[in-house]
Amino acid sequence: MSIEQITQAKDELGGGRARFDIDADLRVYLAKTDWYVIRELETGTPVPEEIKTNRARVRAMIETPLPLPF
C-alpha cells in the first residue's frame, strides 16, 4: 500500500478515517521498511533513496503519540 493510499483511504462507511488509525497504518509502513535500515547498519548496503525519502515523509506525517503500554 502506498503512502497516498494510506492517507486517503476511507472508513467502512466511506467517510474519513480517524487520525489515530491513519497514523497506525503509517507506523506499519515504517515497521515493514525497518529491515532496510537494519541491513544498512549490519552490512553497509545502502537504503534506496526512495525508501529513505518515503520513511522521512511518513515520520513527518505521524501526528498522534504512541499509546502507553500500561
Side-chain angles (χ1 to χ4, degrees):
M1 184 177 263
S2 73
I3 297 168
E4 287 72 28
Q5 289 172 318
I6 293 170
T7 58
Q8 296 172 6
K10 301 295 181 190
D11 66 11
E12 299 82 28
L13 300 175
R17 295 172 60 217
R19 186 72 231 179
F20 183 85
D21 293 334
I22 293 169
D23 287 354
D25 287 344
L26 292 172
R27 286 186 179 95
V28 168
Y29 173 84
L30 288 176
K32 286 182 176 181
T33 57
D34 280 349
W35 72 271
Y36 286 106
V37 178
I38 295 166
R39 181 185 68 178
E40 182 174 69
L41 291 171
E42 291 182 350
T43 69
T45 303
V47 176
E49 285 302 315
E50 180 182 9
I51 299 297
K52 281 185 181 180
T53 301
N54 286 342
R55 286 177 59 86
R57 271 182 63 206
V58 166
R59 283 192 304 273
M61 294 169 88
I62 294 173
E63 296 177 9
T64 58
L66 283 172
L68 295 174
F70 48 87

